[in-house]
Structures are given as structure tokens and as C-alpha cells.
Amino acid sequence: MLTPLCPSREILNHLTSRWGVLVLIALLPGTQRFSQLRRKIGGVSERMLAQTLQLLESDGIVERRAYEVVPPHVEYSLTPLGKEAAMKVRELADWIEGHYPEVLSQQDAFALSQRR
């Protein structure tokens, strides 16, 4: 993984990208429609969400189910592999939330030391 040409880097990038992480966490509770995901993940454009979902689908992390009805109805859910990855990402997100004040304090101390 640490070598420049390691193929797992591409998958790592899909899972840990800004929107990839949030999609995984948003889908943990269960199946969601595109519009639900977009509302749940504030700030993501339709284009970026669609692109992220497509990448995660190509990796076997997200399953896309389209229903032939009018208007079109598409749902997204995590595959078993995706659930496993999402749990790991959720652990990291929980750690960040739990240590956020400490990290902010360290950032402030670092910024102060750089000004001297």
C-alpha cells in the first residue's frame, strides 16, 4: 500500500475521499434513495454524489437498485463488503469526534509556536 504503484491505493482513495467516507456512514443505517443521501450529506453536489456512488459501486462497496417505475426510483445500500468498510470508517469518525477538542487545542498550540 505504501508503494506508489500499489493498486489498493485507488480503492483506499474511493473509500476515504471526502464524500466516500460520508456516503459510507450515511448508508450504514440502511437503504437510501439518491435524494435522501444528498439531504443527509450536506454540501455534496448531485454530480459529486453520483460520481462517488458510481466509484463505490464499481468497487463492490455499494449496491444500486433501479426500479422501472415512473418517476424513476433508485436505491443505494451497502454490500456486505461495504458494511464492513463503513464500520471501520465509522470508528475513525467516532474517534475524531471524541478527540476533536484535543486536536483543536494542539492545532492552536502549533499555530502559536509557528508565529514566534
Side-chain angles (χ1 to χ4, degrees):
M1 184 173 292
L2 297 178
T3 60
L5 298 177
C6 183
S8 65
R9 280 191 180 191
E10 185 177 346
I11 299 164
L12 180 66
N13 187 47
H14 296 168
L15 294 175
T16 61
S17 69
R18 176 182 184 184
W19 303 117
V21 166
L22 297 176
V23 165
L24 290 173
I25 291 171
L27 285 174
L28 257 175
T31 301
Q32 306 266 329
R33 292 182 71 173
F34 186 89
S35 57
Q36 290 173 301
L37 277 174
R38 186 150 183 250
R39 278 192 302 275
K40 201 170 196 179
I41 304 170
V44 65
S45 69
E46 281 189 31
R47 181 176 168 258
M48 283 309 301
L49 181 56
Q51 198 172 25
T52 301
L53 287 165
Q54 190 174 36
L55 287 172
L56 294 173
E57 183 184 6
S58 74
D59 292 338
I61 303 298
V62 167
E63 178 183 3
R64 179 183 187 272
R65 185 168 291 140
Y67 298 90
E68 294 189 29
V69 293
V70 177
H73 181 95
V74 179
E75 295 179 338
Y76 296 90
S77 58
L78 294 171
T79 64
L81 192 62
K83 285 180 187 172
E84 188 177 342
M87 294 298 288
K88 302 289 185 187
V89 168
R90 180 80 234 191
E91 284 180 42
L92 178 59
D94 289 344
W95 181 90
I96 292 168
E97 285 183 16
H99 290 83
Y100 187 72
E102 184 181 345
V103 172
L104 281 181
S105 177
Q106 291 295 321
Q107 289 174 345
D108 291 343
F110 181 80
L112 186 60
S113 73
Q114 295 300 302
R115 286 187 234 152
R116 294 179 190 181

